[in-house]
Amino acid sequence: MSAGVETPQILVLDDERSIRWVLEKALTQKGWTVHGARDVPEARAILSQHRIQLALVDIHLPGEDGISFTREVVSEFAPIAVIVMTGQSTMFHTIEAMKAGAFDYISKPFNLSEVEDLVQRGLDLVRTTARNGPAEQQSVRNEEELLVGNSLQMREVYKAIGRVAPTDLTALIQGESGTGKELIARSIHQHSSRARQPFVAINCAAIPSELLESELFGHEKGAFTGALERKRGKLELASKGTLFLDEIGDMPLKLQSKLLRVLQERSFERIGGHELITTDMRVIAATHRELSTLIEQGDFRSDLYYRLNVFPIHVAPLRERREDIPDLIEHFLRKGSREMAVSRKAAAPETMKALKSYVWPGNVRELENITKSLMITSVTEVIPVENLPQHLLVQHAPSEAPEDLEALFERRLIPVVRDYVERGGEQLMDLVSQQMERPLYRLLLEQTNWNQQRAARILGINRNTLRKRLELLGIHRDRNHGKA
């Protein structure tokens, strides 16, 4: 330790003497001062006598509850980081520990290097919290709500959040199911001036149409059969905060009219009531459906669409941002380890290759579910490719075609790249992309009889993206192929 720098002091609370001895020995060798306690009264005495920055607390103590003690320590001795030690790898214990304010948890039997790393990070957090206040620790606890990815598409989403969050503009988030639309909505809320107010979410597709109106507007006692008492609706609960209308494309037309009136007038009445209730809320809507198509079909009001689509945000499907997959897997492995109280695991190179090549029709949600399943089914620290679900293995079956195609592209690109480098050319990516895309789109559309929806599905992109690329590249059916 440098002169003038206080030596970190650590508390180890465990009724097993061997555990205390091992941890005291290992952590002392790192230059930290360690105090061992066999029960809660002894631990409280140590906390009152020393300036403890971090505590390792066993979840099961003689006559005591390690979770309750964690809550007590975090409340009374902040800034302090608590790492909960558990011998039972259950999701319940993990969630309860994090809710109690624990910095992290570790499962027994543990690896000492893993403990040392976790302790170091906990001490770093305490130092940061002491300087900047408690907000930093809260951001760590909300890690499971982080948006993950550094692809061009995700960077555009981050920019959009940064632009719209400080305003009160209504945002419309569009993207396939499972792409993380609610996470984006929550991020907008958390970065807005309404962050300390409620974030109220309602899924318009998950609630029967006859109940959705009551959920939104609330009702008075006796308004209908079964209305035994007054109920406040989501519109009322979201006042001063943010209302998130998920799957807005599934809202019935009758309710769309009532919602439009609320957005225009910022007031409403409960079902069966006459009191005019005013609301000050920020509205964010999301859908996986093409609202323009629904408008053409008469299933969605165009005036409501224009009221919601003030600030549009498009979320790309996972298959269009495959470079984010390794970061997402690492995030889910870390999150799953914490939630399910299992040891940290990593994907073998071949496993990662298979996961990156899969099309992910269920997007990020499907990736998270499969990652968590692999953590349970894999008995080793490194997840082998054989543990993948069968449908991923089938798609990942070896094929010579992709390698042959890649080699062909490389051979043809060698003189082009050399020429661009020698003469200082620019915009090479645009040139190569367009010359590869044009024949691909033309050939595919010809094979599918210019069925854009089918062609987009084969390409693994959405129809709107294909339509925009065709317009940009100047590809038209009548010009290139004549009339059908």
Side-chain angles (χ1 to χ4, degrees), residues 38-58:
R38 63 180 179 275
D39 53 33
V40 168
E42 190 174 352
R44 287 196 182 106
I46 292 171
L47 286 164
S48 65
Q49 296 168 12
H50 303 277
R51 191 169 176 269
I52 302 296
Q53 284 101 349
L54 182 140
L56 287 146
V57 177
D58 188 27

Side-chain angles (χ1 to χ4, degrees), residues 212-274:
L212 186 56
E213 183 176 3
S214 175
E215 286 294 316
L216 271 173
F217 291 85
H219 59 253
E220 297 288 349
K221 180 179 179 180
F224 49 82
T225 303
L228 303 179
E229 57 184 17
R230 171 186 284 182
K231 177 183 177 180
R232 300 169 67 201
K234 304 292 187 185
L235 292 171
E236 194 170 349
L237 295 172
S239 190
K240 306 295 183 184
T242 301
L243 176 67
F244 176 55
L245 299 167
D246 198 9
E247 298 302 350
I248 188 70
D250 292 273
M251 179 177 283
L253 274 171
K254 177 185 173 183
L255 205 49
Q256 291 178 31
S257 302
K258 296 193 67 173
L259 175 63
L260 178 63
R261 193 175 305 116
V262 174
L263 296 179
Q264 291 171 338
E265 302 174 4
R266 296 291 168 174
S267 61
F268 63 95
E269 297 173 352
R270 298 189 191 99
I271 299 175
H274 303 288

Side-chain angles (χ1 to χ4, degrees), residues 202-397:
I202 182 169
N203 189 318
C204 301
I207 302 173
S209 56
E210 61 271 15
L211 298 179
L212 186 56
E213 183 176 3
S214 175
E215 286 294 316
L216 271 173
F217 291 85
H219 59 253
E220 297 288 349
K221 180 179 179 180
F224 49 82
T225 303
L228 303 179
E229 57 184 17
R230 171 186 284 182
K231 177 183 177 180
R232 300 169 67 201
K234 304 292 187 185
L235 292 171
E236 194 170 349
L237 295 172
S239 190
K240 306 295 183 184
T242 301
L243 176 67
F244 176 55
L245 299 167
D246 198 9
E247 298 302 350
I248 188 70
D250 292 273
M251 179 177 283
L253 274 171
K254 177 185 173 183
L255 205 49
Q256 291 178 31
S257 302
K258 296 193 67 173
L259 175 63
L260 178 63
R261 193 175 305 116
V262 174
L263 296 179
Q264 291 171 338
E265 302 174 4
R266 296 291 168 174
S267 61
F268 63 95
E269 297 173 352
R270 298 189 191 99
I271 299 175
H274 303 288
E275 176 189 359
L276 192 64
I277 301 169
T278 58
T279 181
D280 169 25
M281 62 181 178
R282 201 252 186 88
V283 174
I284 302 175
T287 180
H288 76 281
R289 306 183 70 180
E290 288 286 352
L291 293 186
S292 56
T293 302
L294 294 179
I295 291 171
E296 292 174 3
Q297 296 170 348
D299 293 326
F300 200 85
R301 294 181 62 105
S302 59
D303 45 6
L304 177 58
Y305 171 73
Y306 296 125
R307 176 69 66 167
L308 294 173
N309 196 37
V310 178
F311 191 93
I313 299 176
H314 172 70
V315 194
L318 189 55
R319 62 182 174 274
E320 292 182 13
R321 52 184 187 97
R322 295 177 189 270
E323 60 266 45
D324 289 335
I325 290 176
D327 287 341
L328 283 163
I329 291 172
E330 173 61 25
H331 172 70
F332 292 138
L333 287 172
R334 184 169 59 249
K335 177 183 174 185
S337 174
R338 184 170 60 250
E339 288 181 351
M340 299 182 292
V342 297
S343 61
R344 285 285 298 277
K345 297 188 178 180
E350 189 66 18
T351 305
M352 185 67 75
K353 183 178 179 182
L355 292 171
K356 286 183 68 176
S357 66
Y358 182 54
V359 294
W360 298 109
N363 291 295
V364 179
R365 185 184 297 126
E366 183 184 9
L367 175 62
E368 178 176 11
N369 292 336
I370 284 182
T371 302
K372 288 183 176 179
S373 175
L374 290 171
M375 293 183 70
I376 299 300
T377 56
S378 300
V379 295
T380 58
E381 294 298 306
V382 177
I383 302 171
V385 68
E386 293 79 14
N387 280 31
L388 291 177
Q390 188 61 34
H391 62 283
L392 268 77
L393 290 172
V394 170
Q395 181 174 309
H396 187 60

